[in-house]
Amino acid sequence: MTENSSAARRSVNDWLPATVVAVRSEGAGTRTLSLDVPGMRPALAGQHVDLRVTAEDGYTAQRSYSLSSPAGAVPLEVTIDRLPDGEVSPYLVDGIEVGDRLEVRGPIGLWFVWRPEQQDPVNLIAGGSGLVPLMSIVRTRATMDSPARFRLVIAAREPARDLYRDELDELELENEWLSVTRLYSRRAPVGDERGARRVDAAELASLVHPASSSPLTFICGPTAFVETVADGVAQLGHEGARIRAERFGASG
Amino acid sequence: MGVFSPGFRGSRRDEDVRIPPGQYLERGFPVLSTGATERISTADWRFTVTGAKGETRSWTWDETIAVGLETVNTDIHCVTSWSKLDTMWRGVPIDPFLDGLDADATHVMVHSYGGYTTNLPLEDLRGRAWIATEFDGAPLTPEHGGPARLLVPHLYFWKSAKWVQGLQLMPRDSPGFWERNGYHDHGDPWLEERYSSF
């Protein structure tokens, strides 16, 4: 048997040993881990993986994390937000280092994914660290020729919490297919005429591709944010099956 | 092969025999859905069961409640790895809705308002499933599937379809929404039937 055929038999349900090959701070309490996972099948844009960490006495804990790297990327990347009462995220943000090992299962999910053959306009609406899987989708689009036009709306508490800021600025500058809007809820940067407030339906209507252009809309963020935004988008006449939501519930 | 993560200790707060493998204890109640929340009034709500031969029967909200609410105290398990212990629900047992319509059927497709579907073997419904209308002493909110969701607590919670609209009895198995989108056909948390292997 060749190595390829044994890799092909691995199921999404199998835990695969992985090594941390790079870490990158993304701002306070947030870090990106690059993981080398031999034998893992290529991911689609927007999928997630389960990570399992094991203490020296064999105690294990596992959580799901969205991929931030583009479809098929090797090594793959996850961006993790530290939750104050979390069991796993504090270790992944502050503890684990290059060369350390953990286990990975996946990639998982075939609904919250963007496929390169999809040519329709795309709305991406992120609340906080809900930007992570949407970044995977943007990075995937950036690697290929596609007619799909992207509108990315990022809601964050304050500018200090901006994820992937420099990279998105550059992508927007270089690519006519991408527009990025940032909305702040608690504190806006100096000179931002909008000021700091929560996003509402009227504002959404002015920012997304309209229902008449049959866009696909991906929404990811904390539950309350996704509820508000998904309701708002549905009220603008977007078909239910074209609104794809992923909610970040409490998950430590 | 042992893969240890140096320096990881864990909180050990989740060591309880009621928590299935790979799950952790959640005290909140996370919301997970595929799109926008459906909002259906009890006046408009209908529950429709279609037999394997195509015959259908429908119940209004009042007719459904009249079947008789039971209190269900149970643990629930989400495939995203959280489990919640000792949750309290009120709901109507599913069995009376199947009676007389389940000839030649082995499986059921559950249909929801908004188009969500999920499939189950008939034997996972009988005596083990409810149409739930209350959670924690209050009417079920739309975010959690109100006015009524299916409650099948012995399987991962995506089988407990929110905004339940009806059941379609089937002579053979057929995948529902998540079952076509990467998740396991059956979903037993004690066997960790999380993802489809294709």
Side-chain angles (χ1 to χ4, degrees):
Chain A
M1 283 304 218
T2 66
E3 200 174 332
N4 274 347
S5 63
S6 92
R9 279 201 307 274
R10 291 205 179 96
S11 150
V12 174
N13 287 293
D14 294 336
W15 287 107
L16 302 176
T19 306
V20 179
V21 292
V23 299
R24 187 167 70 244
S25 173
E26 302 280 7
T30 306
R31 189 160 77 157
T32 293
L33 303 180
S34 298
L35 303 172
D36 178 38
V37 196
M40 178 118 159
R41 67 174 73 176
L44 304 171
Q47 286 192 303
H48 64 275
V49 291
D50 290 345
L51 301 186
R52 179 163 78 176
V53 289
T54 303
E56 282 178 35
D57 65 354
Y59 174 83
T60 64
Q62 69 190 53
R63 296 292 186 276
S64 297
Y65 294 102
S66 292
L67 295 172
S68 49
S69 46
V74 176
L76 55 82
E77 295 189 340
V78 288
T79 300
I80 294 159
D81 225 10
R82 182 179 57 221
L83 301 176
D85 299 327
E87 179 181 25
V88 177
S89 61
Y91 174 72
L92 295 177
V93 173
D94 300 323
I96 202 164
E97 289 305 339
V98 171
D100 287 348
R101 307 229 293 160
L102 69 169
E103 291 169 290
V104 179
R105 180 169 64 189
I108 298 154
L110 297 171
W111 171 245
F112 198 84
V113 296
W114 180 76
R115 296 169 190 271
E117 61 268 27
Q118 289 168 334
Q119 307 197 342
D120 298 321
V122 173
N123 296 314
L124 304 169
I125 309 174
S129 58
L131 180 55
V132 174
L134 304 184
M135 194 63 187
S136 163
I137 293 173
V138 170
R139 284 170 168 162
T140 302
R141 168 70 181 83
T143 64
M144 59 190 45
D145 285 326
S146 159
R149 304 183 60 80
F150 278 37
R151 290 193 186 167
L152 171 61
V153 178
I154 304 168
R157 273 178 292 185
E158 51 182 325
R161 305 279 301 173
D162 279 350
L163 261 180
Y164 315 126
R165 174 87 204 207
D166 294 346
E167 184 182 347
L168 282 172
D169 282 352
E170 199 168 313
L171 281 171
E172 189 183 20
L173 202 64
E174 288 174 356
N175 295 291
E176 181 258 352
W177 53 265
L178 177 66
S179 80
V180 182
T181 307
R182 288 190 172 76
L183 311 171
Y184 298 98
S185 59
R186 289 203 196 148
R187 199 171 57 76
V190 178
D192 181 346
E193 288 174 14
R194 176 182 179 275
R197 59 186 164 82
R198 285 173 184 268
V199 60
D200 60 29
E203 188 172 26
L204 270 179
S206 70
L207 295 174
V208 298
H209 291 290
S212 58
S213 64
S214 299
L216 269 177
T217 299
F218 294 85
I219 307 166
C220 187
T223 296
F225 173 84
V226 172
E227 286 295 317
T228 306
V229 170
D231 271 2
V233 172
Q235 282 162 22
L236 295 174
H238 295 247
E239 196 189 319
R242 300 186 69 80
I243 304 174
R244 304 191 172 193
E246 190 149 277
R247 293 156 170 86
F248 283 7
S251 178
Chain B
M1 175 172 42
V3 175
F4 299 118
S5 301
F8 176 69
R9 201 187 122 62
S11 66
R12 320 279 167 142
R13 65 189 173 199
D14 302 346
E15 290 174 336
D16 185 311
V17 295
R18 294 172 295 172
I19 299 179
Q23 297 289 107
Y24 70 92
L25 183 60
E26 171 63 49
R27 289 179 177 81
F29 191 174
V31 173
L32 294 152
S33 321
T34 62
T37 291
E38 295 292 320
R39 291 171 204 284
I40 309 106
S41 73
T42 53
D44 295 333
W45 185 89
R46 295 286 183 283
F47 188 72
T48 302
V49 180
T50 305
K53 296 186 180 104
E55 65 280 34
T56 67
R57 210 184 297 161
S58 264
W59 289 260
T60 64
W61 180 263
D62 290 342
E63 289 164 352
T64 301
I65 300 298
V67 169
L69 287 167
E70 297 178 355
T71 298
V72 186
N73 245 299
T74 186
D75 306 332
I76 58 175
H77 313 289
C78 179
V79 71
T80 62
S81 292
W82 56 265
S83 289
K84 202 169 160 53
L85 303 179
D86 295 324
T87 57
M88 199 183 70
W89 303 79
R90 296 263 290 161
V92 180
I94 205 76
D95 295 48
F97 300 91
L98 300 170
D99 290 340
L101 289 166
D102 57 352
D104 300 330
T106 59
H107 290 78
V108 175
M109 187 68 78
V110 185
H111 291 269
S112 293
Y113 288 93
Y116 179 78
T117 55
T118 187
N119 57 303
L120 298 118
L122 191 52
E123 64 196 31
D124 276 293
L125 285 181
R126 282 209 168 277
R128 312 164 85 180
W130 292 263
I131 300 170
T133 59
E134 292 178 29
F135 173 73
D136 240 355
L140 199 56
T141 60
E143 291 77 14
H144 289 301
R149 78 182 297 163
L150 193 68
L151 177 65
V152 197
H154 70 284
L155 298 177
Y156 283 126
F157 221 46
W158 88 79
K159 297 286 185 180
S160 293
K162 295 178 179 182
W163 315 301
V164 68
Q165 182 175 30
L167 308 175
Q168 182 189 346
L169 291 134
M170 306 186 293
R172 65 188 68 83
D173 196 12
S174 171
F177 178 83
W178 283 123
E179 295 81 4
R180 285 192 310 272
N181 281 292
Y183 288 79
H184 197 277
D185 194 61
H186 185 234
D188 183 335
W190 293 97
L191 301 175
E192 275 208 78
E193 292 172 339
R194 293 177 191 274
Y195 310 118
S196 66
S197 38
F198 52 77

